[in-house]
Structures are given as C-alpha cells and as structure tokens.
Amino acid sequence: MGTIRLLGPPAIEHEGRPARAPRGRKAWVLLAYVLLADRPPSRQRLAELFFADADDPLGALRWTLAELRRTLGRSDVLTGDPVSRGGLPDDAVDARALMDELADPAPLLEARGELLEGVYVASCPEVESWLAVERHRVSALIETRLRQTAVTLLAAGRAADAVPYAARAVELNPLEEGNHELLVRSLAMAGDRTAALRQVAAGRDVLRRELGVEASEALTEAASAGSDSPRTPALSGRAAALSQLDAGLAAIDAGAIDPGIQCLRRAVAEAARCRDPQLQARTLAALGGALVHAVRGRDEEGALVLQEALRFAAVAGDRATAVIAHRELGYVEVLAGRRSAADRWLSKAQALAETDAELASILGVRGQNASDEGDYPAAFIHLGESIERARAAGDDRQEAWSLSILARAHLLRDERHQAAAAADLSMRIVQQQRWMAFLPWPKALRAEVDLRNGELAAAADAFEQSWVLGCQVGDPCWEAMAARGLGLLSAGRGDHRAAAEWLGEATVRCNRVTDRYHWMQGHILDTAIDSALDRGDEGRARPLVATLGALAARGDMRELVVRAQVHRHRLGDGGALATARVLAADVDNPALLALIDDPDRPKVAR
C-alpha cells in the first residue's frame, strides 16, 4: 500500500508513482469522510449524505466504494457496515499521519494545501458543507501540532529548532496573535532579537490590517525573552524562594495580581539560582498557573512556563507538580478550542493523579472540554465525578466551579430545573466562601433560567448584578456573559436596539484579550446572529455566520457548527438545514433537535 494524499490536490500513490484517480469528485470526498471519521459511519448515513438524489442510494454507494477499492488496490478496506478503514494504517493517509500527536513532527514543515484542494461538490450541498467544516478542523489540528512542537522545543532549551515550527504556525494562521507571539519568543530565545522585533512589527501590521485590532503588550514583550526563564534579579537562597512563592500566591488570592506575579517571578529566579529541581518545578508551576488564570493575555507565556515546570518536575520526580502542570496546560488548550491537545494533557494529568482533590480539578476541566465540544454524555460523567470528589476532598471552590459548568450544560440542553439547581448550589457555595470574583458566572447562568421562564424582573436584577461584579473583577468572560444576558433581556422586552447594543458590547468584551475563551466567543456570536436575523438585519448576520462557522469548525465545537448551519438556512441556503440534521446526529441535545425542527422561529426573544 502506498500513500493517500488528502492535503493539497488529492492523489493516491503506489511505490511513489501516482495511481489512477477514482472517477467522480464525490468519490474523493467519500474517501476522506470515511478515513477521517472518529467512528466508522453506517452505510445508510453515507448513502443519505452522498447519494440522496440517486434512484438507488445504497447501490450508488456500493459502486463508489468498489471503485475506491480498485483504485487503492486493496479488497480489505472500505468494507462492512459500518464502513471501516479495515487494515489501512494511519500513516498511509497523509492527513491522519500529520494529526497523529505521537508521530515525527518534521513532515509538518513540508505539508501544504488544504484538505482536498480544488475539490468541490456543488451538486450536493450537505457534502460541500461537511467538507468546508472538515477543512477548518484538519487545518486547526495541524496548527495545534505545530504549536505544541514549538513550545516543547522551547521548554527543552532548543529555541532555534522551535523557530521553523512557530513560523509555519504563523503561515498557516496569521490572524492568531498567539502564533506571532510564539514565533517572536522563539526567535528571541534563540538569540535573534532583530528578527524577533521584525516579527513583532509584522504581526502588529497583520492584526491591524486584517482584524482592525491592536496587538497586546504580550507580543512586544515576547521579544525581550531570554534563554533563561527568570526575568528578575536573584535574591538569597531557598528560603527566599519559598518566601516569595508564598507571598506571590497570597497576593494573587487577595486580588493583588501585579505584585503577586512579581513575587512569583522572583521566586522562579531564586529557585533557578539554588539549582533545586523540585523548587524550580513548584515555582514555575505557580507562575505558569498565575499567568494563565490571573493575568489575561498571558496564556502563551504561561504555557511555556508550565512546560518548563514539567521538565524540572520530571527530573525531581515531583508527581504532584507534574499533575498541576499537565492540568493547567490542558486548561489553556480548552480555552483555545484545541480539543485533542487538551484531552492529551488532561489524560496525562489524570493518569498521574492520586488524590480526590487532584482528580476533582482535572475532571472538572475535562467536563468543560467535553461540554464545549458538544459531547454532553461525557461532560455529565466527568462533572458528576468532579463534584463528588471535590466534596470528598472538602474543596468547596472546585465543587462550585464544576457545578457552574454542569449548570451551563443543562442550560444549553434547555433543562431548566437541573440548570437552576446546579447554579443555585454553586452560588451558595461561592457566597459562603466569599469568592466574589467568581460569582458573576453562576449568577448569569441562573439569570438566564429566569429569563427563559418569563421571570423578567428576577432576570434583570441578576444580570445587572453579574454585569457590575464582572466589571469590578475585570474578567472579559464574566463581562461578556452578563452583557449577552442583558441583550437577551432587552430582546425579551421588545427593545431590539438595546439588544443589539448589549450584544455588541458582549462581543467587544469577550474579544478584549488575545487568549479569549473560544467557546464563549462562539456562544455570543450565535446569540448576536439570532438577534440580527430576528430583526431582519441579514447584512449584519451574514459575516457573523461565516465567522461562527469557521470558529466552531476549527475549535471542534460541534453544536455551534450545527447552529451555524441553521443560521445559513435562515439566510436562504437551501441545503443548510439538511446539513444541520446530519451534523446534529453526533450531538446529544434535545434542544438542538428542537431548533432544527423549528428553525425559522424567532430565537432571542423567546
């Protein structure tokens, strides 16, 4: 067996020589559909998707599969029901090999072209829509591997080797500021400050020209990164490092973020001077976690610091710190919508974890990742166990956090009683703990339940409190969620102008930092599109739908992919609703199926 090339113009090669191409463009897409599927698809589903207009859909499928087997020169592939790859290894398919996280990353640097480049199936809108989504997904997975390879090399002190991977990530997705920051940091740590500064300027110009936004300070500051992690002068030994570590964590817990970060940087510097691997691992993990959670716009730096923490934890045999670092790296990937990378980090963390507290925090993030993806059965399992383990460990804040994600999952399924119960319990724990920085999130979720139940006064009071608290905390996600709620409330009152203003504000708030939460961005886009379509503003809705479709596909947010198709239907795309039905088969959400059954009903004001 040779190689099946799905990236760029498709081709099949035997012993380095091109084989006869299968007849019909639809055959190429069918081949890609089966080879890239997470689970083997049934013959009935393939027939309905690819050959619904044929007199004998199953017969047309049988003929096309036989044609593909002849072209591949194998009789043991693309057989059975469901249709499987058979004995075809992953490395025989270029796209699967490049997405394999355990494979040699070097071929990533040579890969060019999108999935099935030049292949279009205009006669079959459902297949064309699947191909558009899959192109985004495959591109995002390759970008993720490029980024992960660059970060791993940086953490290992091989900055020069990281540069080509970071540069390829920029080439693949130049509109992601984090890719520019990674390249700048790689160049700076490799000792080429001139090239780093040149890349800062190039990145700033691209973001301003294409997105109309200014780059964050993190991009410029990345050019000052040196080959050594610490950025501050050393103090006086192990005791000083521990003192700075404790002071930094206490300051951050009290809300004094900048002083806390400075203390942690000094702790890292002093630990490096002491040459104590365990102390280095602990201080780096603390700094990395603080950069990820407490300082918005610093996820790229935080991820690199956490990778360094892992390296020292491995040397010291520090299991507990390794668990923390793996979990936090998984959390970064969840926010960025990189599902497979998130699952890999979190699986490693879970394999190392031993205590209820450790497992509670890991399972909470796994539940969030599954919910973002639209895998509700997995989300409920992870979140349920997270809550139980948090209670067993006496970790009230983790219990409140996981309850809030559980409330969100129930709300997305329109299970209002369960959503309200989870949100109420989360808020009660938060208030007992005086964890006011977190309160805006469950309060906004609970307010939306009230809004859906027609209790506008209660919803208004809760959304307004969430907005004020979110602004006081300065968290873009909390601000955005509250602003979205106030937009929904305004629409419910019939004030569509105010609804549009609040939803515009929500969009601005959630995009205020570069390391935005991609699910939140998509959730707000979805609501803004519904609002625009409800008031007949198709001109406003159309570009937002394109943005949502690409964002959801790249972030493997399956429910939002389906919702983007429903929006396309409302904009007059004749095949979009059928595509939505096909894609929704993988999402266990009764509310989503109800939406597809009644797609033209006004959404925001319901």
Side-chain angles (χ1 to χ4, degrees):
M1 180 66 208
T3 300
I4 302 172
R5 302 201 180 279
L6 300 179
L7 297 177
I12 296 171
E13 298 176 354
H14 292 297
E15 298 179 353
R17 302 179 64 182
R20 176 185 66 83
R23 284 180 283 178
R25 294 186 173 186
K26 201 175 281 189
W28 280 119
V29 188
L30 175 62
L31 178 63
Y33 191 95
V34 175
L35 295 182
L36 299 179
D38 292 334
R39 298 183 299 276
S42 70
R43 285 181 174 257
Q44 186 65 37
R45 180 169 182 178
L46 290 174
E48 292 174 352
L49 180 60
F50 285 86
F51 305 106
D53 57 348
D55 292 336
D56 180 7
L58 285 170
L61 174 65
R62 283 193 297 274
W63 184 91
T64 305
L65 291 173
E67 168 73 2
L68 286 168
R69 284 193 292 272
R70 285 191 293 271
T71 303
L72 293 170
R74 292 185 61 156
S75 60
D76 63 336
V77 299
L78 308 180
T79 60
D81 189 8
V83 179
S84 73
R85 299 195 301 270
L88 192 67
D90 280 354
D91 60 7
V93 184
D94 63 348
R96 291 194 70 91
L98 289 174
M99 293 185 294
D100 182 356
E101 295 158 356
L102 300 178
D104 178 8
L108 291 165
L109 299 176
E110 305 301 325
R112 293 293 186 276
E114 68 177 0
L115 181 67
L116 298 185
E117 188 171 298
V119 174
Y120 300 96
V121 196
S123 62
C124 190
E126 295 90 343
V127 172
E128 187 71 17
S129 295
W130 173 84
L131 182 56
V133 169
E134 195 67 3
R135 281 170 172 156
H136 284 298
R137 189 183 75 88
V138 169
S139 176
L141 287 170
I142 292 173
E143 180 188 345
T144 295
R145 279 205 71 210
L146 287 163
R147 288 174 49 84
Q148 287 296 319
T149 302
V151 170
T152 300
L153 290 168
L154 274 179
R158 298 169 57 190
D161 293 334
V163 169
Y165 292 97
R168 181 71 185 106
V170 169
E171 183 182 349
L172 194 61
N173 185 7
L175 302 185
E176 176 60 53
E177 182 179 330
N179 290 343
H180 291 280
E181 184 184 338
L182 182 58
L183 177 55
V184 169
R185 194 174 297 279
S186 299
L187 290 165
M189 294 180 73
D192 194 346
R193 181 169 168 77
T194 300
L197 291 172
R198 189 162 55 242
Q199 184 60 38
V200 169
R204 294 180 68 179
D205 284 344
V206 167
L207 295 172
R208 183 186 298 113
R209 181 177 64 250
E210 301 296 332
L211 301 179
V213 300
E214 293 295 329
S216 69
E217 293 180 1
L219 179 61
T220 303
E221 292 176 8
S224 300
S227 58
D228 53 338
S229 298
R231 315 283 194 263
T232 56
L235 298 176
S236 57
R238 178 181 175 82
L242 291 171
S243 175
Q244 291 294 327
L245 175 61
D246 291 342
L249 293 174
I252 288 171
D253 192 52
I257 305 302
D258 290 340
I261 293 293
Q262 290 306 311
C263 285
L264 293 176
R265 289 195 190 280
R266 286 192 287 270
V268 167
E270 190 57 34
R273 180 180 178 181
C274 295
R275 299 187 181 278
D276 180 336
Q278 185 175 36
L279 185 58
Q280 287 179 275
R282 287 182 58 196
T283 56
L284 285 164
L287 175 60
L291 289 169
V292 168
H293 291 282
V295 186
R296 301 318 301 255
R298 298 288 180 172
D299 280 6
E300 296 297 328
E301 182 185 2
L304 178 56
V305 172
L306 289 165
Q307 288 267 14
E308 291 185 81
L310 275 181
R311 183 161 58 93
F312 286 108
V315 171
D318 187 346
R319 181 202 62 80
T321 298
V323 169
I324 293 170
H326 279 109
R327 183 197 68 217
E328 296 293 6
L329 284 164
Y331 180 72
V332 170
E333 301 303 320
V334 171
L335 295 184
R338 296 186 282 262
R339 305 288 158 219
S340 60
D343 190 60
R344 185 178 73 253
W345 287 120
L346 294 169
S347 294
K348 289 180 178 178
Q350 190 168 345
L352 289 169
E354 295 179 355
T355 69
D356 281 330
E358 289 172 340
L359 287 165
S361 60
I362 295 163
L363 290 165
V365 182
R366 295 200 77 170
Q368 180 185 14
N369 194 44
S371 178
D372 288 359
E373 187 178 9
D375 187 352
Y376 292 103
F380 289 137
I381 290 171
H382 291 321
L383 293 169
E385 187 176 350
S386 172
I387 292 164
E388 290 178 5
R389 289 187 178 275
R391 287 172 182 163
D395 190 342
D396 294 327
R397 290 194 174 191
Q398 181 61 56
E399 182 183 353
W401 189 92
S402 296
L403 279 164
S404 74
I405 304 300
L406 180 64
R408 185 193 69 169
H410 283 304
L411 185 60
L412 291 170
R413 290 166 55 90
D414 201 31
E415 294 165 341
R416 302 179 196 179
H417 292 294
Q418 294 174 82
D424 284 340
L425 182 52
S426 177
M427 284 193 295
R428 186 156 62 247
I429 296 171
V430 166
Q431 289 165 340
Q432 289 171 351
Q433 291 290 306
R434 300 186 181 278
W435 191 16
M436 305 311 289
F438 185 71
L439 184 58
W441 168 244
K443 187 172 281 290
L445 295 170
R446 185 62 175 87
E448 188 164 346
V449 175
D450 289 334
L451 180 62
R452 292 191 189 186
N453 289 334
E455 300 171 8
L456 299 189
D461 185 56
F463 277 133
E464 288 167 4
Q465 288 182 44
S466 178
W467 169 253
V468 171
L469 286 170
C471 290
Q472 289 175 349
V473 173
D475 188 295
C477 283
W478 301 169
E479 295 169 3
M481 192 67 175
R484 173 186 172 275
L486 290 166
L488 290 170
L489 180 69
S490 297
R493 290 170 167 169
D495 189 345
H496 292 286
R497 179 176 179 179
E501 290 176 352
W502 275 115
L503 291 170
E505 188 67 28
T507 301
V508 169
R509 298 285 173 142
C510 78
N511 289 313
R512 195 174 72 215
V513 292
T514 56
D515 51 357
R516 65 187 66 87
Y517 181 16
H518 284 212
W519 177 86
M520 182 72 75
Q521 181 187 6
H523 189 50
I524 289 169
L525 273 172
D526 178 52
T527 306
I529 294 164
D530 273 332
S531 176
L533 291 174
D534 286 353
R535 63 177 185 270
D537 191 351
E538 293 188 358
R540 170 64 176 161
R542 199 172 298 277
L544 297 181
V545 172
T547 300
L548 175 62
L551 176 73
R554 291 185 66 83
D556 204 8
M557 296 178 283
R558 298 174 187 178
E559 179 166 337
L560 288 174
V561 168
V562 174
R563 288 178 177 273
Q565 293 297 327
V566 174
H567 296 316
R568 288 193 172 99
H569 163 78
R570 295 183 73 187
L571 286 168
D573 185 334
L577 196 60
T579 303
R581 291 188 189 281
V582 171
L583 296 173
D586 291 330
V587 182
D588 180 10
N589 186 349
L592 188 64
L593 297 179
L595 172 66
I596 294 172
D597 288 340
D598 189 10
D600 298 309
R601 176 188 175 191
K603 308 299 187 302
V604 171
R606 62 181 175 178

